[in-house]
Amino acid sequence: MNELQLKSESPSNVPRAEILDREAGLHRGLTSWQVAMIGLGSTIGTGLFLGSALSVKLAGPAVLVSFFLGAIITATVMWALAEMAAEHPAAGSFGLYAEMYLHPWAGFAIRYTYWLTLVFVVGSEVVAASIYCKYWWPAVPSWMWIAIFSLALLYANTISIKSFGAFEYWFAMIKVVTIVAFLILGAALLFGVGFPGIGGANFTAYGGFFPNGLSGVGLGVTMAIFSFLGLEIVGATAGETANPSVAVPRALRRTLSFLVLFYLGGLAIVVGIVPWSELGLGESPFVRVFRSVGIPGAGNVMNFVVLTAALSSAMCNLYFTARLLFSLARGGYAPASLGKLSKRGMPVAAVLASGVGLLVAFFLSHFFEATAFVFMIGVAFFGGPFVWITILATHLAFRRANERAGKSILRFAPPGPWSSLFGLIALLAVLISTWWVPGFRVTMVAGPAWLVFMSVCYLIWARVVREKPNT
Protein backbone atom coordinates (compact mmCIF):
# COMPACT_ATOMS: atom_id res chain seq x y z
CA MET A 1 0.00 0.00 0.00
CA ASN A 2 2.81 2.46 0.88
CA GLU A 3 4.51 1.93 -2.49
CA LEU A 4 1.20 2.42 -4.28
CA GLN A 5 0.50 5.60 -2.36
CA LEU A 6 3.99 6.95 -3.02
CA LYS A 7 3.45 6.52 -6.77
CA SER A 8 -0.05 8.02 -6.74
CA GLU A 9 -0.45 10.59 -9.47
CA SER A 10 -1.59 14.19 -9.34
CA PRO A 11 -4.19 15.57 -11.78
CA SER A 12 -1.29 16.32 -14.15
CA ASN A 13 -0.35 12.58 -14.19
CA VAL A 14 2.93 13.40 -12.44
CA PRO A 15 3.60 11.28 -9.31
CA ARG A 16 2.94 13.34 -6.19
CA ALA A 17 6.24 12.22 -4.67
CA GLU A 18 8.04 13.66 -7.72
CA ILE A 19 6.31 17.02 -7.26
CA LEU A 20 7.42 17.12 -3.61
CA ASP A 21 11.01 16.15 -4.46
CA ARG A 22 11.40 19.20 -6.71
CA GLU A 23 11.91 21.48 -3.72
CA ALA A 24 14.80 19.65 -2.07
CA GLY A 25 17.83 21.62 -0.91
CA LEU A 26 16.40 23.99 1.70
CA HIS A 27 18.01 23.62 5.13
CA ARG A 28 15.80 22.40 8.01
CA GLY A 29 17.03 24.85 10.65
CA LEU A 30 13.81 26.18 12.23
CA THR A 31 12.47 25.05 15.60
CA SER A 32 8.76 24.76 16.44
CA TRP A 33 8.81 27.93 18.56
CA GLN A 34 10.61 29.85 15.81
CA VAL A 35 7.92 28.68 13.38
CA ALA A 36 5.19 29.89 15.76
CA MET A 37 6.93 33.24 16.09
CA ILE A 38 7.24 33.53 12.32
CA GLY A 39 3.48 32.96 12.16
CA LEU A 40 2.86 35.69 14.73
CA GLY A 41 5.45 37.91 13.08
CA SER A 42 3.77 37.65 9.69
CA THR A 43 0.25 38.13 11.08
CA ILE A 44 0.59 40.67 13.88
CA GLY A 45 1.50 43.78 12.00
CA THR A 46 -0.38 46.40 10.08
CA GLY A 47 -3.69 44.50 10.34
CA LEU A 48 -3.79 44.83 14.13
CA PHE A 49 -1.83 47.98 14.83
CA LEU A 50 -3.05 50.23 12.00
CA GLY A 51 -5.63 48.41 9.85
CA SER A 52 -7.76 47.77 12.95
CA ALA A 53 -8.76 51.44 12.74
CA LEU A 54 -10.59 50.63 9.49
CA SER A 55 -12.41 47.75 11.20
CA VAL A 56 -13.53 49.95 14.07
CA LYS A 57 -14.75 52.61 11.64
CA LEU A 58 -16.89 50.01 9.88
CA ALA A 59 -18.38 48.20 12.88
CA GLY A 60 -17.84 50.41 15.92
CA PRO A 61 -17.52 48.50 19.22
CA ALA A 62 -19.17 45.54 17.47
CA VAL A 63 -15.79 45.02 15.81
CA LEU A 64 -15.34 42.43 18.57
CA VAL A 65 -18.10 40.36 16.98
CA SER A 66 -16.48 40.84 13.56
CA PHE A 67 -13.13 39.53 14.78
CA PHE A 68 -14.74 36.60 16.59
CA LEU A 69 -16.46 35.57 13.35
CA GLY A 70 -13.20 36.10 11.49
CA ALA A 71 -11.44 33.77 13.96
CA ILE A 72 -13.99 31.01 13.29
CA ILE A 73 -13.42 31.30 9.54
CA THR A 74 -9.66 31.32 10.09
CA ALA A 75 -9.88 28.14 12.17
CA THR A 76 -11.32 26.22 9.22
CA VAL A 77 -8.31 27.22 7.12
CA MET A 78 -5.90 26.38 9.94
CA TRP A 79 -7.34 22.85 10.32
CA ALA A 80 -7.16 22.22 6.58
CA LEU A 81 -3.60 23.49 6.20
CA ALA A 82 -2.38 21.60 9.29
CA GLU A 83 -3.59 18.28 7.87
CA MET A 84 -1.97 18.84 4.47
CA ALA A 85 1.30 20.26 5.85
CA ALA A 86 1.68 17.31 8.24
CA GLU A 87 1.27 14.90 5.31
CA HIS A 88 3.33 16.86 2.74
CA PRO A 89 5.91 19.22 4.33
CA ALA A 90 7.24 21.48 1.56
CA ALA A 91 8.12 25.13 0.98
CA GLY A 92 5.55 25.38 -1.81
CA SER A 93 2.89 24.58 0.80
CA PHE A 94 -0.68 25.15 -0.40
CA GLY A 95 0.47 25.98 -3.93
CA LEU A 96 2.06 22.56 -4.20
CA TYR A 97 -1.00 20.88 -2.67
CA ALA A 98 -3.32 22.61 -5.15
CA GLU A 99 -1.16 21.31 -8.00
CA MET A 100 -1.17 17.81 -6.50
CA TYR A 101 -4.88 17.49 -5.71
CA LEU A 102 -6.81 20.00 -7.86
CA HIS A 103 -5.11 20.93 -11.14
CA PRO A 104 -1.76 22.35 -12.33
CA TRP A 105 -3.62 25.59 -13.15
CA ALA A 106 -4.64 25.87 -9.49
CA GLY A 107 -1.05 25.45 -8.33
CA PHE A 108 0.13 27.98 -10.91
CA ALA A 109 -2.58 30.56 -10.16
CA ILE A 110 -2.53 30.32 -6.37
CA ARG A 111 1.24 30.70 -6.10
CA TYR A 112 1.46 33.62 -8.52
CA THR A 113 -1.63 35.27 -7.01
CA TYR A 114 -0.32 35.02 -3.50
CA TRP A 115 3.14 36.04 -4.62
CA LEU A 116 1.65 39.25 -6.02
CA THR A 117 -0.51 39.65 -2.91
CA LEU A 118 2.43 39.42 -0.55
CA VAL A 119 4.49 41.69 -2.76
CA PHE A 120 1.85 44.37 -2.13
CA VAL A 121 1.47 43.40 1.54
CA VAL A 122 5.20 43.82 2.09
CA GLY A 123 4.94 47.22 0.45
CA SER A 124 1.95 48.19 2.63
CA GLU A 125 3.83 47.19 5.79
CA VAL A 126 6.77 49.38 4.82
CA VAL A 127 4.40 52.28 4.05
CA ALA A 128 2.84 51.75 7.49
CA ALA A 129 6.31 51.81 9.06
CA SER A 130 6.98 55.16 7.43
CA ILE A 131 3.70 56.46 8.93
CA TYR A 132 4.86 55.40 12.38
CA CYS A 133 8.17 57.21 11.90
CA LYS A 134 6.29 60.47 11.33
CA TYR A 135 5.26 60.28 14.99
CA TRP A 136 8.84 61.26 15.86
CA TRP A 137 10.13 62.90 12.68
CA PRO A 138 7.18 64.49 10.85
CA ALA A 139 9.43 66.50 8.53
CA VAL A 140 11.30 63.49 7.10
CA PRO A 141 9.70 62.32 3.81
CA SER A 142 8.19 58.83 3.79
CA TRP A 143 10.20 57.66 0.79
CA MET A 144 13.43 58.01 2.76
CA TRP A 145 12.22 55.63 5.48
CA ILE A 146 10.90 53.21 2.89
CA ALA A 147 14.29 53.10 1.16
CA ILE A 148 16.15 52.41 4.43
CA PHE A 149 13.74 49.73 5.60
CA SER A 150 13.70 48.04 2.19
CA LEU A 151 17.46 47.56 2.15
CA ALA A 152 17.40 46.15 5.68
CA LEU A 153 14.60 43.70 4.83
CA LEU A 154 16.36 42.41 1.74
CA TYR A 155 19.55 41.81 3.72
CA ALA A 156 17.72 39.98 6.53
CA ASN A 157 16.17 37.59 4.01
CA THR A 158 19.47 36.57 2.43
CA ILE A 159 21.24 35.33 5.57
CA SER A 160 21.05 31.70 6.72
CA ILE A 161 17.70 30.25 7.78
CA LYS A 162 18.98 29.71 11.34
CA SER A 163 19.96 33.37 11.62
CA PHE A 164 16.68 34.46 10.05
CA GLY A 165 14.69 32.28 12.47
CA ALA A 166 16.55 33.56 15.54
CA PHE A 167 16.28 37.18 14.41
CA GLU A 168 12.54 36.93 13.69
CA TYR A 169 11.92 35.06 16.96
CA TRP A 170 13.15 38.00 19.03
CA PHE A 171 11.65 40.53 16.64
CA ALA A 172 8.23 38.93 17.12
CA MET A 173 8.81 38.54 20.86
CA ILE A 174 8.89 42.33 21.17
CA LYS A 175 5.33 42.40 19.83
CA VAL A 176 4.11 39.56 22.02
CA VAL A 177 5.55 40.97 25.26
CA THR A 178 4.26 44.46 24.47
CA ILE A 179 0.76 43.29 23.60
CA VAL A 180 0.59 41.32 26.85
CA ALA A 181 1.70 44.45 28.74
CA PHE A 182 -0.84 46.49 26.76
CA LEU A 183 -3.63 44.06 27.73
CA ILE A 184 -2.67 44.23 31.41
CA LEU A 185 -2.36 48.02 31.47
CA GLY A 186 -5.52 48.49 29.40
CA ALA A 187 -7.52 46.25 31.73
CA ALA A 188 -6.23 48.26 34.69
CA LEU A 189 -7.36 51.48 33.00
CA LEU A 190 -10.80 50.12 32.21
CA PHE A 191 -11.43 48.60 35.65
CA GLY A 192 -9.73 51.30 37.72
CA VAL A 193 -6.84 49.29 39.13
CA GLY A 194 -4.23 51.93 40.03
CA PHE A 195 -5.93 54.47 37.72
CA PRO A 196 -9.27 56.27 37.67
CA GLY A 197 -11.65 53.70 36.19
CA ILE A 198 -12.85 54.40 32.65
CA GLY A 199 -15.50 51.70 32.73
CA GLY A 200 -17.49 50.45 29.76
CA ALA A 201 -19.28 53.65 28.75
CA ASN A 202 -17.47 53.96 25.42
CA PHE A 203 -18.88 50.63 24.27
CA THR A 204 -22.38 52.10 24.01
CA ALA A 205 -22.06 55.91 24.31
CA TYR A 206 -21.60 56.73 20.61
CA GLY A 207 -24.49 55.16 18.75
CA GLY A 208 -24.64 51.96 20.80
CA PHE A 209 -22.67 48.72 20.52
CA PHE A 210 -23.89 48.25 16.92
CA PRO A 211 -23.73 51.85 15.59
CA ASN A 212 -23.64 50.70 11.95
CA GLY A 213 -25.93 47.70 12.38
CA LEU A 214 -25.28 44.13 11.31
CA SER A 215 -24.02 45.32 7.92
CA GLY A 216 -21.20 47.10 9.74
CA VAL A 217 -20.35 43.87 11.55
CA GLY A 218 -20.32 41.99 8.26
CA LEU A 219 -18.02 44.53 6.64
CA GLY A 220 -15.84 44.45 9.74
CA VAL A 221 -15.30 40.73 9.14
CA THR A 222 -13.60 41.71 5.89
CA MET A 223 -10.89 43.62 7.74
CA ALA A 224 -10.76 40.90 10.40
CA ILE A 225 -9.85 38.37 7.71
CA PHE A 226 -7.17 40.73 6.43
CA SER A 227 -5.77 40.90 9.98
CA PHE A 228 -5.64 37.10 10.28
CA LEU A 229 -3.97 36.68 6.88
CA GLY A 230 -0.42 35.47 7.32
CA LEU A 231 -1.29 32.41 9.39
CA GLU A 232 -0.86 30.31 6.24
CA ILE A 233 2.81 31.29 6.06
CA VAL A 234 3.44 28.74 8.83
CA GLY A 235 2.70 26.05 6.24
CA ALA A 236 5.56 27.26 4.06
CA THR A 237 8.08 26.79 6.87
CA ALA A 238 7.52 23.01 6.63
CA GLY A 239 10.32 22.76 4.08
CA GLU A 240 12.80 24.34 6.52
CA THR A 241 11.56 22.96 9.86
CA ALA A 242 12.91 20.07 11.89
CA ASN A 243 10.19 17.41 12.40
CA PRO A 244 7.60 19.35 10.34
CA SER A 245 4.72 16.88 10.78
CA VAL A 246 4.66 17.78 14.48
CA ALA A 247 6.09 21.31 14.52
CA VAL A 248 3.90 22.90 11.83
CA PRO A 249 0.44 21.84 13.13
CA ARG A 250 1.52 22.78 16.66
CA ALA A 251 2.72 26.18 15.46
CA LEU A 252 -0.57 26.77 13.60
CA ARG A 253 -2.59 26.05 16.75
CA ARG A 254 -0.37 28.26 18.91
CA THR A 255 -0.44 31.09 16.40
CA LEU A 256 -4.23 31.13 16.05
CA SER A 257 -4.75 30.91 19.84
CA PHE A 258 -2.46 33.87 20.46
CA LEU A 259 -4.05 35.85 17.63
CA VAL A 260 -7.57 35.43 18.99
CA LEU A 261 -6.44 36.54 22.45
CA PHE A 262 -4.43 39.49 21.17
CA TYR A 263 -6.96 40.75 18.63
CA LEU A 264 -10.10 40.46 20.73
CA GLY A 265 -8.40 41.64 23.91
CA GLY A 266 -6.54 44.47 22.21
CA LEU A 267 -9.55 45.77 20.32
CA ALA A 268 -11.76 45.57 23.43
CA ILE A 269 -9.30 47.83 25.21
CA VAL A 270 -8.98 50.21 22.26
CA VAL A 271 -12.73 50.81 21.84
CA GLY A 272 -13.21 50.84 25.62
CA ILE A 273 -10.70 53.63 26.20
CA VAL A 274 -10.93 55.74 23.01
CA PRO A 275 -14.32 56.70 21.45
CA TRP A 276 -14.50 54.59 18.29
CA SER A 277 -15.61 57.59 16.19
CA GLU A 278 -12.28 59.33 16.85
CA LEU A 279 -10.07 56.60 15.44
CA GLY A 280 -8.45 56.87 11.99
CA LEU A 281 -5.39 56.03 9.90
CA GLY A 282 -3.42 59.08 11.03
CA GLU A 283 -1.85 57.04 13.83
CA SER A 284 -2.11 53.60 15.38
CA PRO A 285 -5.15 53.09 17.66
CA PHE A 286 -2.76 51.49 20.15
CA VAL A 287 -0.60 54.62 20.29
CA ARG A 288 -3.77 56.71 20.62
CA VAL A 289 -4.81 54.73 23.71
CA PHE A 290 -1.65 55.54 25.62
CA ARG A 291 -1.58 59.13 24.44
CA SER A 292 -5.21 59.69 25.45
CA VAL A 293 -4.67 58.58 29.05
CA GLY A 294 -1.60 60.75 29.49
CA ILE A 295 0.97 58.12 30.46
CA PRO A 296 4.39 59.80 30.04
CA GLY A 297 6.53 58.18 27.37
CA ALA A 298 4.07 55.33 26.74
CA GLY A 299 3.14 56.66 23.31
CA ASN A 300 6.79 56.61 22.25
CA VAL A 301 7.26 53.06 23.50
CA MET A 302 4.10 51.83 21.78
CA ASN A 303 5.00 53.58 18.55
CA PHE A 304 8.36 51.80 18.60
CA VAL A 305 6.57 48.50 19.08
CA VAL A 306 4.13 49.01 16.21
CA LEU A 307 7.07 50.08 14.04
CA THR A 308 8.93 46.85 14.79
CA ALA A 309 5.66 44.95 14.29
CA ALA A 310 5.27 46.30 10.76
CA LEU A 311 8.89 45.57 9.89
CA SER A 312 8.70 42.07 11.40
CA SER A 313 5.56 41.33 9.38
CA ALA A 314 7.20 42.67 6.23
CA MET A 315 10.26 40.50 6.81
CA CYS A 316 8.17 37.33 7.25
CA ASN A 317 6.01 38.10 4.23
CA LEU A 318 9.10 38.71 2.11
CA TYR A 319 10.37 35.32 3.32
CA PHE A 320 7.19 33.67 2.04
CA THR A 321 7.11 35.51 -1.29
CA ALA A 322 10.62 34.24 -1.96
CA ARG A 323 9.59 30.64 -1.13
CA LEU A 324 6.60 30.88 -3.45
CA LEU A 325 8.76 32.16 -6.29
CA PHE A 326 11.37 29.48 -5.51
CA SER A 327 8.61 26.83 -5.65
CA LEU A 328 7.34 28.17 -8.98
CA ALA A 329 10.84 28.12 -10.44
CA ARG A 330 11.49 24.55 -9.26
CA GLY A 331 8.20 23.51 -10.88
CA GLY A 332 9.14 25.09 -14.19
CA TYR A 333 6.61 27.93 -13.87
CA ALA A 334 9.24 30.68 -13.48
CA PRO A 335 12.83 31.24 -14.69
CA ALA A 336 15.12 28.48 -13.39
CA SER A 337 17.55 31.04 -11.94
CA LEU A 338 14.91 31.91 -9.31
CA GLY A 339 15.04 28.32 -8.04
CA LYS A 340 18.74 28.41 -7.21
CA LEU A 341 20.01 28.40 -3.62
CA SER A 342 23.02 30.08 -2.08
CA LYS A 343 25.71 28.12 -0.24
CA ARG A 344 23.69 28.72 2.93
CA GLY A 345 20.55 27.27 1.37
CA MET A 346 18.80 30.62 0.83
CA PRO A 347 16.89 31.53 -2.39
CA VAL A 348 18.64 34.88 -2.79
CA ALA A 349 17.52 35.50 -6.39
CA ALA A 350 13.88 34.85 -5.44
CA VAL A 351 14.20 37.25 -2.49
CA LEU A 352 15.54 40.04 -4.68
CA ALA A 353 12.86 39.49 -7.33
CA SER A 354 10.15 39.51 -4.65
CA GLY A 355 11.39 42.88 -3.41
CA VAL A 356 9.52 44.57 -6.26
CA GLY A 357 6.73 45.44 -3.79
CA LEU A 358 9.19 47.60 -1.88
CA LEU A 359 9.87 49.52 -5.07
CA VAL A 360 6.13 49.96 -5.68
CA ALA A 361 5.70 51.24 -2.12
CA PHE A 362 8.54 53.69 -2.68
CA PHE A 363 6.89 55.29 -5.72
CA LEU A 364 3.33 55.21 -4.37
CA SER A 365 4.37 56.88 -1.14
CA HIS A 366 6.19 59.58 -3.09
CA PHE A 367 3.32 60.45 -5.44
CA PHE A 368 0.25 59.36 -3.42
CA GLU A 369 1.40 59.60 0.19
CA ALA A 370 -2.06 60.16 1.71
CA THR A 371 -3.72 57.13 0.08
CA ALA A 372 -0.85 54.67 -0.50
CA PHE A 373 -1.63 52.40 2.47
CA VAL A 374 -5.33 51.85 1.73
CA PHE A 375 -4.68 51.41 -2.00
CA MET A 376 -1.98 48.78 -1.49
CA ILE A 377 -3.94 46.64 0.96
CA GLY A 378 -7.02 47.00 -1.27
CA VAL A 379 -5.15 45.53 -4.23
CA ALA A 380 -3.53 42.87 -2.06
CA PHE A 381 -6.73 41.79 -0.35
CA PHE A 382 -8.12 39.74 -3.24
CA GLY A 383 -5.26 37.27 -3.00
CA GLY A 384 -5.81 36.40 0.65
CA PRO A 385 -9.41 35.11 0.47
CA PHE A 386 -8.69 33.55 -2.93
CA VAL A 387 -5.80 31.57 -1.46
CA TRP A 388 -7.83 30.54 1.59
CA ILE A 389 -10.72 29.45 -0.66
CA THR A 390 -8.29 27.36 -2.73
CA ILE A 391 -6.76 25.84 0.44
CA LEU A 392 -10.21 24.72 1.57
CA ALA A 393 -11.09 23.34 -1.89
CA THR A 394 -7.75 21.51 -1.96
CA HIS A 395 -8.44 20.09 1.49
CA LEU A 396 -11.73 18.62 0.30
CA ALA A 397 -9.90 16.92 -2.60
CA PHE A 398 -7.06 15.86 -0.25
CA ARG A 399 -9.53 14.16 2.10
CA ARG A 400 -11.29 12.37 -0.79
CA ALA A 401 -7.99 11.14 -2.28
CA ASN A 402 -6.78 9.70 1.01
CA GLU A 403 -10.14 8.07 1.75
CA ARG A 404 -10.11 6.40 -1.69
CA ALA A 405 -6.56 5.15 -1.05
CA GLY A 406 -7.56 3.87 2.40
CA LYS A 407 -4.79 5.93 3.95
CA SER A 408 -5.01 7.26 7.50
CA ILE A 409 -3.85 10.85 8.09
CA LEU A 410 -3.39 13.14 11.06
CA ARG A 411 -6.78 14.81 11.49
CA PHE A 412 -7.29 18.29 12.87
CA ALA A 413 -10.52 19.36 11.15
CA PRO A 414 -13.86 17.92 12.36
CA PRO A 415 -15.14 14.79 10.56
CA GLY A 416 -16.76 15.31 7.17
CA PRO A 417 -16.44 18.19 4.72
CA TRP A 418 -18.55 20.69 6.67
CA SER A 419 -15.87 22.91 8.20
CA SER A 420 -14.15 23.42 4.84
CA LEU A 421 -17.48 24.02 3.08
CA PHE A 422 -18.48 26.59 5.71
CA GLY A 423 -15.14 28.37 5.32
CA LEU A 424 -15.51 28.38 1.52
CA ILE A 425 -18.95 30.00 1.60
CA ALA A 426 -17.96 32.53 4.27
CA LEU A 427 -14.82 33.59 2.40
CA LEU A 428 -16.74 34.04 -0.84
CA ALA A 429 -19.10 36.36 1.05
CA VAL A 430 -16.13 38.25 2.51
CA LEU A 431 -14.58 38.67 -0.92
CA ILE A 432 -17.80 40.00 -2.44
CA SER A 433 -18.34 42.37 0.50
CA THR A 434 -15.15 44.28 -0.32
CA TRP A 435 -17.20 46.11 -2.95
CA TRP A 436 -18.86 48.04 -0.10
CA VAL A 437 -15.75 48.66 2.01
CA PRO A 438 -14.36 52.20 1.51
CA GLY A 439 -11.13 52.08 -0.48
CA PHE A 440 -11.43 48.36 -1.21
CA ARG A 441 -13.57 48.39 -4.34
CA VAL A 442 -10.35 47.96 -6.30
CA THR A 443 -10.27 44.40 -4.86
CA MET A 444 -13.22 43.22 -6.97
CA VAL A 445 -12.00 45.15 -10.00
CA ALA A 446 -8.39 43.97 -10.00
CA GLY A 447 -8.92 40.43 -8.66
CA PRO A 448 -11.01 38.80 -11.42
CA ALA A 449 -8.97 40.60 -14.10
CA TRP A 450 -5.83 39.16 -12.52
CA LEU A 451 -7.24 35.61 -12.60
CA VAL A 452 -8.08 35.97 -16.30
CA PHE A 453 -4.55 37.18 -16.92
CA MET A 454 -3.15 34.24 -14.91
CA SER A 455 -5.25 31.79 -16.90
CA VAL A 456 -3.94 33.17 -20.19
CA CYS A 457 -0.37 32.95 -18.86
CA TYR A 458 -0.94 29.35 -17.79
CA LEU A 459 -2.33 28.36 -21.20
CA ILE A 460 0.68 29.93 -22.91
CA TRP A 461 3.05 28.17 -20.50
CA ALA A 462 1.28 24.82 -20.99
CA ARG A 463 1.54 25.15 -24.77
CA VAL A 464 5.25 25.98 -24.57
CA VAL A 465 5.86 22.95 -22.33
CA ARG A 466 3.93 20.65 -24.66
CA GLU A 467 5.85 21.86 -27.70
CA LYS A 468 9.29 21.84 -26.08
CA PRO A 469 10.08 18.14 -26.78
CA ASN A 470 9.39 18.72 -30.47
CA THR A 471 11.75 21.66 -30.82
Side-chain angles (χ1 to χ4, degrees):
M1 175 64 73
N2 290 335
E3 184 178 356
L4 179 64
Q5 290 164 356
L6 184 66
K7 294 180 180 178
S8 61
E9 293 184 340
S10 69
S12 61
N13 297 322
V14 177
R16 293 190 179 116
E18 184 177 322
I19 294 176
L20 290 168
D21 289 343
R22 292 191 315 225
E23 301 189 0
L26 294 168
H27 295 181
R28 295 189 179 273
L30 296 175
T31 67
S32 61
W33 272 108
Q34 286 176 333
V35 172
M37 283 301 185
I38 288 173
L40 290 173
S42 63
T43 310
I44 300 176
T46 304
L48 175 62
F49 291 118
L50 187 60
S52 57
L54 291 176
S55 305
V56 175
K57 280 291 186 183
L58 291 167
V63 68
L64 299 176
V65 178
S66 299
F67 270 73
F68 178 74
L69 295 174
I72 293 174
I73 297 170
T74 305
T76 66
V77 178
M78 184 269 290
W79 290 329
L81 189 56
E83 286 189 5
M84 294 188 291
E87 187 67 22
H88 304 301
S93 188
F94 49 76
L96 215 61
Y97 311 149
E99 180 180 349
M100 291 165 63
Y101 290 99
L102 292 180
H103 191 274
W105 173 88
F108 179 90
I110 193 175
R111 275 176 282 189
Y112 266 117
T113 298
Y114 209 49
W115 177 80
L116 181 70
T117 295
L118 289 186
V119 159
F120 275 98
V121 167
V122 170
S124 72
E125 296 284 4
V126 176
V127 170
S130 71
I131 293 173
Y132 300 145
C133 287
K134 284 187 174 295
Y135 183 83
W136 296 306
W137 301 286
V140 178
S142 296
W143 64 263
M144 187 175 294
W145 293 117
I146 291 173
I148 293 171
F149 294 145
S150 296
L151 292 174
L153 289 171
L154 290 171
Y155 172 76
N157 270 276
T158 55
I159 56 179
S160 70
I161 191 60
K162 285 187 177 180
S163 298
F164 173 86
F167 184 73
E168 179 55 32
Y169 179 90
W170 293 109
F171 219 172
M173 185 63 76
I174 294 174
K175 292 187 281 189
V176 172
V177 170
T178 304
I179 292 173
V180 171
F182 175 83
L183 293 176
I184 295 171
L185 179 59
L189 288 167
L190 285 175
F191 296 109
V193 180
F195 300 91
I198 295 174
N202 283 334
F203 287 101
T204 56
Y206 301 90
F209 188 74
F210 294 92
N212 297 324
L214 293 179
S215 62
V217 174
L219 294 178
V221 173
T222 302
M223 279 306 300
I225 293 299
F226 175 77
S227 298
F228 282 112
L229 289 175
L231 181 78
E232 66 282 350
I233 290 178
V234 174
T237 64
E240 295 170 276
T241 305
N243 196 11
S245 62
V246 175
V248 173
R250 182 183 296 166
L252 283 165
R253 289 194 298 268
R254 286 173 177 168
T255 303
L256 183 58
S257 299
F258 280 121
L259 288 177
V260 172
L261 171 64
F262 293 162
Y263 282 141
L264 291 179
L267 286 171
I269 288 170
V270 166
V271 298
I273 294 176
V274 181
W276 70 269
S277 57
E278 296 180 10
L279 295 173
L281 282 177
E283 65 178 340
S284 166
F286 284 68
V287 175
R288 176 66 187 275
V289 166
F290 285 114
R291 193 168 60 81
S292 67
V293 297
I295 300 175
N300 285 314
V301 173
M302 197 63 199
N303 198 61
F304 169 76
V305 172
V306 296
L307 172 62
T308 60
L311 294 176
S312 170
S313 181
M315 188 167 72
C316 288
N317 285 317
L318 184 57
Y319 163 89
F320 193 26
T321 58
R323 270 56 186 181
L324 286 174
L325 202 54
F326 165 81
S327 177
L328 285 162
R330 285 295 179 93
Y333 300 113
S337 59
L338 298 176
K340 293 182 178 179
L341 297 171
S342 68
K343 293 181 180 179
R344 296 182 176 182
M346 299 293 280
V348 175
V351 169
L352 296 177
S354 298
V356 66
L358 301 170
L359 191 62
V360 171
F362 179 88
F363 284 105
L364 283 179
S365 67
H366 183 68
F367 295 105
F368 306 100
E369 183 170 344
T371 58
F373 174 73
V374 173
F375 175 80
M376 291 195 76
I377 61 176
V379 171
F381 189 79
F382 174 83
F386 171 73
V387 165
W388 281 16
I389 288 167
T390 308
I391 288 174
L392 292 170
T394 304
H395 181 245
L396 292 171
F398 166 80
R399 279 274 188 96
R400 286 196 303 269
N402 283 285
E403 287 171 3
R404 285 196 299 265
K407 184 178 182 181
S408 61
I409 58 172
L410 284 175
R411 290 183 178 269
F412 300 95
W418 308 114
S419 66
S420 291
L421 287 174
F422 166 76
L424 268 171
I425 296 170
L427 286 167
L428 284 171
V430 165
L431 198 55
I432 294 170
S433 72
T434 58
W435 186 257
W436 292 277
V437 178
F440 277 67
R441 185 164 288 191
V442 64
T443 299
M444 290 304 293
V445 174
W450 169 258
L451 285 184
V452 170
F453 174 70
M454 278 290 92
S455 298
V456 172
C457 290
Y458 173 77
L459 291 173
I460 294 172
W461 173 86
R463 173 170 290 186
V464 169
V465 169
R466 282 196 301 266
E467 292 179 353
K468 191 172 283 188
N470 298 323
T471 58

